[in-house]
Amino acid sequence: MKGWQIFAVVLLLATLSAGSVQAETRGVKRFACIEMRWLVPEGSETVSIEFVKGEEPFARLTLSPQERFRQFNFSTDAILAEGRMRLHIDKQHNKGILKLDSLSYRCYGPVEQGFSGPLMEFDLPVEP
């Protein structure tokens, strides 16, 4: 009977740790009136990114190992977002890193704000 209990605990811990890994494959960062959302589908090295105002997406882009950085310039109404985003693939540590090299944004006024830095680190899918 104890063997089954140990097995059940190990299975539960494995499930919980897998859930925490999956939770790191999506994220949201708010920049004043702009929200940036990203998603790394399970088993993929590609990152899907969308910029949202309220609940309405106004721009989308994708980063992949074949195209590791993107310059972007999006605007809608009185909102501007421009910059450069990079996907760094570290095969040695089996990690992907999503990073904003630079982001300049402006919401409803002349004052421009900026951001740069890492957004997310995720595990790369296991190659067969």
Side-chain angles (χ1 to χ4, degrees):
M1 188 67 157
K2 270 192 171 197
W4 283 106
Q5 290 173 338
I6 292 172
F7 176 75
V9 168
V10 169
L11 186 61
L12 177 65
L13 290 174
T15 303
L16 291 174
S17 67
S20 67
V21 168
Q22 290 175 359
E24 293 177 348
T25 59
R26 67 177 54 234
V28 176
K29 178 99 173 136
R30 186 153 185 80
F31 302 102
C33 64
I34 301 169
E35 198 170 85
M36 190 177 110
R37 300 175 183 170
W38 58 88
L39 169 69
V40 181
E42 187 174 339
S44 176
E45 294 180 358
T46 301
V47 181
S48 299
I49 298 132
E50 71 179 0
F51 289 85
V52 179
K53 175 188 162 210
E55 286 301 314
E56 214 41 53
F58 67 89
R60 291 187 170 101
L61 58 98
T62 303
L63 292 172
S64 70
Q66 293 75 35
E67 185 181 29
R68 293 188 179 172
F69 73 90
R70 292 288 289 276
Q71 293 279 138
F72 57 89
N73 184 333
F74 306 121
S75 64
T76 179
D77 300 333
I79 297 172
L80 171 70
E82 59 184 357
R84 180 177 164 143
M85 190 175 304
R86 177 182 309 272
L87 176 62
H88 175 71
I89 302 295
D90 184 348
K91 293 282 188 183
Q92 185 177 4
H93 293 103
N94 202 39
K95 296 281 183 189
I97 301 167
L98 179 63
K99 179 183 177 192
L100 272 171
D101 289 339
S102 66
L103 171 67
S104 297
Y105 58 97
R106 185 171 54 224
C107 295
Y108 311 112
V111 178
E112 196 170 282
Q113 298 177 37
F115 175 85
S116 66
L119 296 169
M120 171 186 64
E121 183 176 302
F122 59 95
D123 293 327
L124 296 175
V126 178
E127 294 181 9

